[in-house]
Amino acid sequence: MIYLDNAATTRTAPEVVEAMLPYFTENYGNPSALYSLGATGKKAVNEARRRIAGVIGAKQEEIYFTSGGTEADNWALKAAAEGSAYKGRHIITTRIEHHAILNTCKYLEKRGFEVTYLDVDAYGRIDLAQLEGAVRPDTILISVMFANNEIGTLEPIGEIGRLARKKGIMFHTDAVQAFGQLPIQVDELGVDLLSASAHKLNGPKGIGMLYVRSGVKMGSFLHGGEQERNRRAGTENVPGIVGFGAAAARAMDKMVQKAAVERELRDYLIGRIEAEIPYCRLNGHREQRLPGNVNFSFSFIEGESLLIMLDMKGICASSGSACASGSLNPSHVLLATGLKQEEAHGSLRMTLSEENTREEMDIVVEELKQAVARLRNMSPLYEDFIKSTQES
Ligand SMILES: *Cc1c(COP(=O)(O)O)cnc(C)c1O
């Protein structure tokens, strides 16, 4: 099997699983308990919090554990909106956010908030002048993702942070794809709220966090006990948190080397596809791009058919985001970059890890060439196109 869907989820690293296991077996105490079995859990949770804070240059007490990236995004937007509603009801985000952001914005619109969705250019980058022009006296929150999960494009987070500071507006970034993959310093970037999720960095599924800058007024998300300093009630997911902490430490150790390996494989794969498969287009930005992201549109074919053919050869990839697959709507991200419906339908995302090899990339290119050629041979659109080129 060749796994090229690391933006959807990653393999839990063996050392992460090992770090978690004792917290299912002997160290099962509730961190809120007063006896030492509870204290062991509490200590482990705080050690994980320290490691995770370290990834983004935050303080321990600014990290709040959640059930994942989706919950962190929901919490950030809903609490920031409600908490600042007395100042205004206008929010700015982008058209290419994850559905955890977009659908939360829709929910807030139904509750009387107004949302501006910024356009992106052909590479998926927002325009800072457009952002500045969208700011109003009643703007209370800007939410722009750090890196896009479909096309890998990196947004100008530092510049957005500076603008938000200057205007006194709260700034949230969904950094689920970038956390532990790229250097992030919340103070330098001017970020007030940041979402992350363990399973995108070789940690377990079902655990994530929201960074909340100290001093930022944020309501609680879950009401109940006093866990997470009264802001997110419920007995801590101790094994998950320990796994997240181990994954964060591992990601920090490997960050530079992992990114270098992924970039090299990525550029090799992009280069070969562009050279050897006609009528394709690279989606996303060539440089401002996640190290492991490759996303192409192939004219005259359906991405879904391509996925099935690759799956038969043991290659796991994606056509857009996992959340959107299974539906026939073309990717909102690709449409926002200006692709036509049919181009967006013919797209393929391959997201690499440092465990992939050049040999695997060679196999993928060969299989892709064959699959694309076979699908095009069955396509009436392609037949018409070839005829038209022969006539002219
Ligand atoms: C995966 C992802 C999420 C959702 O995270 P979960 O932990 O799966 O809920 C949110 N935003 C982005 C950009 C993602 O890639």
Side-chain angles (χ1 to χ4, degrees), residues 79-129:
E82 276 184 9
S84 300
Y86 70 96
K87 287 196 253 174
R89 300 180 79 85
H90 180 234
I91 297 166
I92 301 174
T93 186
T94 79
R95 289 174 59 195
I96 63 163
E97 298 297 310
H98 190 274
H99 282 114
I101 295 291
L102 291 178
N103 287 337
T104 304
C105 284
K106 271 195 203 156
Y107 165 88
L108 288 169
E109 282 175 312
K110 282 195 207 126
R111 310 238 146 188
F113 289 89
E114 228 184 298
V115 182
T116 299
Y117 299 88
L118 298 175
D119 295 323
V120 294
D121 65 15
Y123 308 104
R125 300 258 293 179
I126 67 151
D127 177 35
L128 289 161

Side-chain angles (χ1 to χ4, degrees), residues 7-8 67-71 73 98 100 145 147 149 174 176-177 197 199-200:
S67 64
T70 300
E71 183 186 324
D73 284 345
H98 190 274
M145 69 200 319
N149 47 302
D174 173 343
V176 172
Q177 289 290 332
S197 178
H199 76 100
K200 304 287 174 82

Side-chain angles (χ1 to χ4, degrees), residues 221-241:
F221 192 59
L222 294 182
H223 308 278
E226 293 180 359
Q227 293 90 354
E228 301 298 286
R229 283 138 291 145
N230 269 320
R231 278 175 157 170
R232 203 278 189 182
T235 301
E236 296 86 344
N237 172 1
V238 179
I241 290 169

